[in-house]
C-alpha cells in the first residue's frame, strides 16, 4: 500500500518541491489549501493532477481533525504559515495565529485523530535572530528579532512539548534561508533575480533594496525539502539545523546576479530606507553537522549556481510573458 502524506502549505515554494519529492518516492500526496478568493496553484500546476487537494485552515482545528480522520496520512508536513518576515511587523496578530498557534492546532489534531502520525514542523533560522553564537546549531539560544521569529519559536517549542508530553514522532527542521525560482517576489533573492531580468530586458533601470550588508546562509529549496523527508524516516524524532554553512551578503547576491547577465550592479542598485527592518538580523549562518551525520543529508547546489538558476528562470519568465 502506498504511503500517504499531508502537506499544509502545498502551494508554497517548499510545499511544491516537497510534493514533487514525495511523488517520486511513491507517496500519495494530499495538499491542504485554505479557502480564499484568490487561489494560486502556479507552483503546483505541473503536478496538480497527481495530488489530492483538500480544504482546511490552520485557524480551524475541527477542519484539521476532519482531514486527518478522512485521509489517514502516515506523515504530516506543516509548511503553512504567514511566512514573510516584513509582513509580520504589520500583521503581528495574524502571524501569531497562523505561524504559532496554527502549529498547536495541527499537533492537537494529530493527538486526537491518530497519535501514530509522524509530524514535521517548519522551524526557522529567524528564531536565532540576534545571534548568541556563530555558527548556529541545535543548542544555540533563541533571540528572535521579529514577530515572525517569535511565532516560529513558539511553534518550535510546542512541537518539542507535544513530542515529550504525548510521545508523538514530531520533528522540527530549523531551516536557514532556502531559495529557488519558485520563491515569492517579496523575498530579497527573488526580488533581485526578477529585478535583474527586468533591467536586462530594458523594462527597468533601477532596483531598490534595503540593507546590503545583511548576511544570510542561502541554499536551494529542492535540497532542503529532502532533509524534511529524511527527518520523518528516522526511528527517533529530533530537531535539526539545515543550512549550507556559508554566509553571503545581499551585496554579493547583487554582484553575482547582475554579472550573470553582463551588468554592473553599482549602476542599478539603490538603497531605499523604506526596505530597512525595525530590527535587523545581521549574521545567520548554520552548522548542519547533525543533519549531515544522522540524516546523511548534503546540499547539491552552490550559492553561485542558485543565483544563476533564479536569474535564468526570471529571464525566461519575462520572455514568455512578453511574447
Amino acid at each position: 500500500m502506498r504511503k500517504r502524506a499531508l502537506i499544509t502549505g502545498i502551494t508554497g515554494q517548499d510545499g511544491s518541491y516537497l510534493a514533487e519529492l514525495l511523488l517520486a518516492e511513491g507517496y500519495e500526496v494530499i495538499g491542504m489549501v485554505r479557502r480564499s478568493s484568490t487561489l494560486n496553484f502556479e507552483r503546483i500546476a505541473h503536478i496538480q493532477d497527481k495530488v489530492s487537494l483538500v480544504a482546511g485552515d490552520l485557524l480551524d482545528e475541527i477542519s484539521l481533525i476532519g482531514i486527518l480522520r478522512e485521509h489517514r496520512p502516515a506523515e504530516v508536513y506543516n509548511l503553512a504559515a504567514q511566512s514573510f518576515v516584513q509582513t509580520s511587523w504589520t500583521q503581528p496578530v495574524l502571524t501569531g495565529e497562523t505561524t504559532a498557534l496554527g502549529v498547536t492546532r495541527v499537533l492537537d489534531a494529530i493527538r486526537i485523530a491518530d497519535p501514530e502520525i509522524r509530524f514535521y514542523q517548519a522551524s526557522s533560522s529567524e528564531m536565532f535572530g540576534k545571534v548568541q553564537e556563530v555558527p548556529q546549531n541545535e543548542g544555540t539560544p533563541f533571540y528572535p528579532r521579529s514577530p515572525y521569529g517569535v511565532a516560529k519559536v513558539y511553534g518550535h517549542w510546542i512541537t518539542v512539548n507535544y513530542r515529550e508530553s504525548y510521545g508523538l514522532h514530531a520533528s522540527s527542521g530549523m531551516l536557514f534561508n532556502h531559495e529557488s525560482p519558485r520563491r515569492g517576489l517579496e523575498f530579497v533573492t527573488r526580488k533581485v533575480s526578477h529585478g535583474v531580468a527586468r533591467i536586462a530586458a530594458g523594462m527597468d533601470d533601477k532596483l531598490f533594496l534595503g540593507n546590503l550588508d545583511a548576511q544570510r546562509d542561502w541554499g536551494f529549496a529542492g535540497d532542503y525539502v529532502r532533509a524534511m523527508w529524511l527527518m520523518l524516516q528516522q526511528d527517533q524524532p529530533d530537531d535539526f539545523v539545515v543550512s549550507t554553512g556559508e554566509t553571503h551578503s545581499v551585496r554579493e547576491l547583487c554582484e553575482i546576479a547582475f554579472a550573470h547577465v553582463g551588468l554592473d550592479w553599482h549602476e542599478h542598485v539603490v538603497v531605499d530606507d523604506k526596505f530597512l527592518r525595525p530590527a535587523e538580523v545581521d549574521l545567520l549562518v548554520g552548522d548542519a553537522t547533525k543533519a549531515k551525520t544522522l540524516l546523511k543529508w548534503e546540499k547539491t547546489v552552490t550559492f553561485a549556481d542558485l543565483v544563476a538558476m533564479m536569474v535564468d528562470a526570471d529571464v525566461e519568465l519575462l520572455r514568455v510573458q512578453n511574447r
Side-chain angles (χ1 to χ4, degrees):
M1 194 172 136
R2 289 170 73 196
K3 237 181 178 178
R4 192 174 296 142
L6 171 71
I7 304 173
T8 74
I10 193 171
T11 58
Q13 168 189 259
D14 291 6
S16 66
Y17 279 109
L18 179 60
E20 283 177 355
L21 173 85
L22 294 176
L23 288 169
E25 292 289 341
Y27 281 67
E28 190 180 324
V29 177
I30 316 289
M32 190 179 92
V33 292
R34 202 161 29 105
R35 285 241 184 270
S36 71
S37 53
T38 53
L39 283 173
N40 182 1
F41 296 130
E42 186 186 337
R43 294 185 182 97
I44 57 166
H46 62 298
I47 52 168
Q48 208 170 326
D49 59 337
K50 298 186 180 77
V51 302
S52 303
L53 298 178
V54 296
D57 198 315
L58 289 186
L59 302 185
D60 180 13
E61 189 173 328
I62 301 298
S63 71
L64 302 173
I65 294 170
I67 290 169
L68 296 181
R69 284 184 170 156
E70 183 180 348
H71 296 280
R72 295 285 170 192
E75 298 171 0
V76 170
Y77 296 86
N78 183 39
L79 309 186
Q82 189 300 99
S83 61
F84 189 41
V85 175
Q86 197 76 30
T87 300
S88 78
W89 293 103
T90 52
Q91 298 185 310
V93 176
L94 174 72
T95 301
E97 280 288 357
T98 53
T99 308
L101 288 175
V103 187
T104 313
R105 295 187 189 103
V106 180
L107 284 163
D108 215 44
I110 288 172
R111 179 183 68 82
I112 292 165
D114 180 3
E116 293 303 308
I117 290 171
R118 295 189 171 199
F119 174 77
Y120 171 81
Q121 166 58 12
S123 287
S124 166
S125 59
E126 288 287 331
M127 301 189 305
F128 297 118
K130 187 175 179 181
V131 299
Q132 303 301 291
E133 61 185 13
V134 179
Q136 296 89 49
N137 61 32
E138 293 79 8
T140 302
F142 299 140
Y143 195 141
R145 296 274 278 170
S146 66
Y148 171 79
V150 172
K152 280 292 186 185
V153 169
Y154 176 96
H156 178 82
W157 280 120
I158 201 70
T159 301
V160 173
N161 188 265
Y162 268 64
R163 176 169 77 214
E164 295 178 353
S165 302
Y166 300 112
L168 298 186
H169 193 298
S171 294
S172 273
M174 302 147 145
L175 272 55
F176 279 66
N177 295 61
H178 45 289
E179 318 297 313
S180 76
R182 298 178 197 170
R183 195 53 143 153
L185 285 167
E186 67 271 26
F187 291 87
V188 70
T189 46
R190 183 74 197 288
K191 187 176 176 183
V192 169
S193 66
H194 195 254
V196 166
R198 286 183 63 87
I199 290 168
M203 298 164 75
D204 288 330
D205 185 52
K206 299 295 180 201
L207 175 61
F208 297 90
L209 296 172
N211 180 11
L212 299 183
D213 295 319
Q215 297 184 43
R216 294 291 183 272
D217 183 329
W218 278 301
F220 173 51
D223 285 342
Y224 285 41
V225 298
R226 198 170 65 257
M228 299 176 186
W229 175 71
L230 287 168
M231 285 176 216
L232 296 203
Q233 310 318 304
Q234 305 304 303
D235 292 335
Q236 298 300 321
D238 208 344
D239 307 321
F240 293 90
V241 162
V242 181
S243 65
T244 68
E246 299 172 9
T247 185
H248 301 274
S249 65
V250 176
R251 182 178 280 103
E252 193 180 343
L253 166 67
C254 292
E255 199 176 327
I256 294 171
F258 277 95
H260 188 64
V261 292
L263 295 173
D264 181 351
W265 72 275
H266 293 96
E267 295 174 11
H268 303 282
V269 173
V270 179
V271 173
D272 186 334
D273 288 350
K274 80 175 180 193
F275 294 119
L276 298 175
R277 293 180 185 176
E280 182 57 88
V281 172
D282 300 310
L283 181 56
L284 286 172
V285 55
D287 173 6
T289 302
K290 185 174 169 183
K292 290 175 180 175
T293 307
L294 296 182
L295 305 179
K296 305 291 185 276
W297 176 83
E298 291 290 346
K299 66 166 190 177
T300 65
V301 178
T302 67
F303 178 67
D305 287 346
L306 173 64
V307 176
M309 177 202 301
M310 293 180 68
V311 172
D312 287 343
D314 276 324
V315 168
E316 175 63 15
L317 180 70
L318 290 182
R319 192 186 66 75
V320 171
Q321 286 175 349
N322 296 324
R323 268 209 299 242

